Amino acid sequence: MKLYDHSVTVSSKRLNLFLKEIGVTDIERVEVNVREGGNLDQSYQDKSVNGKVPLLELDDGSYLSETVAISRYFDEITPNDLNLFGASTLERAKVEMWNRIVEIDGIQNAFQAFRNLSGIYSDRENCVEAWGEEAKLELSCSCLNSTSNWVSLST
């Protein structure tokens, strides 16, 4: 197997944290510098369904994209009793629920705010400051409210 990632991206950091937690350390890695457009190269695009990192190349020549999909794959093939995706039906559902909340309300809004306000990818996308401000506002409202509501319901 071969893992294509860019160690500074949130998605790659999430995956690498998961892999380290379950003890996966001996995987071949290829650094794809997305800031320099390494993921826009046609050879990479031919491998990746969404052109993003991380991307896992399996021994049979097929590929898996997306952090959670790759994490679930490794969780299934790596003997461990950590139950990071939950041990029961309800636990797995709650892990999925919080994962989606964090991704949609948190990470997605934070990244859109960063991209549009910093203009880091202005060489390949139209950065709109107003979108960045709106994403920043959404991040402060929805994600924090979701977490606060959960904490108040749990205690």
Side-chain angles (χ1 to χ4, degrees):
M1 287 187 282
K2 189 184 302 184
L3 181 62
Y4 297 82
D5 68 353
H6 188 45
S7 57
V8 300
T9 64
V10 172
S11 297
S12 292
K13 285 180 185 245
R14 286 177 68 200
L15 177 60
N16 287 319
L17 180 65
F18 182 86
L19 293 177
K20 186 174 182 179
E21 189 67 27
I22 65 170
V24 175
T25 57
D26 60 339
I27 186 166
E28 181 181 352
R29 293 173 180 270
V30 176
E31 184 78 6
V32 178
N33 190 327
V34 298
R35 289 187 180 159
E36 294 177 2
N39 60 317
L40 304 176
D41 181 76
Q42 190 58 52
S43 64
Y44 189 79
Q45 292 285 319
D46 291 343
K47 297 173 188 168
S48 176
V49 69
N50 64 1
K52 297 178 182 177
V53 293
L55 172 71
L56 179 65
E57 181 177 348
L58 301 172
D59 292 334
D60 67 1
S62 62
Y63 299 93
L64 283 176
S65 295
E66 291 296 323
T67 301
V68 175
I70 296 168
S71 296
R72 286 186 183 275
Y73 178 78
F74 275 105
D75 192 49
E76 293 287 330
I77 66 167
T78 306
N80 74 82
D81 59 356
L82 299 173
N83 299 312
L84 296 177
F85 285 107
S88 69
T89 303
L90 181 58
E91 285 178 2
R92 285 188 293 277
K94 285 185 177 186
V95 167
E96 183 65 20
M97 174 189 76
W98 281 108
N99 188 47
R100 300 300 296 155
I101 289 170
V102 167
E103 284 183 342
I104 294 168
D105 293 343
I107 295 170
Q108 194 172 60
N109 281 325
F111 196 55
Q112 286 306 318
F114 173 71
R115 290 168 78 137
N116 283 288
L117 294 173
S118 73
I120 192 166
Y121 295 122
S122 61
D123 62 330
R124 65 193 83 154
E125 68 183 14
N126 184 22
C127 297
V128 179
E129 190 173 339
W131 291 349
E133 291 296 340
E134 187 172 334
K136 191 167 128 181
L137 181 61
E138 277 297 312
L139 177 64
S140 65
C141 293
S142 62
C143 192
L144 294 177
N145 285 339
S146 295
T147 306
S148 297
N149 289 340
W150 177 75
V151 170
S152 66
L153 292 173
S154 309
T155 55

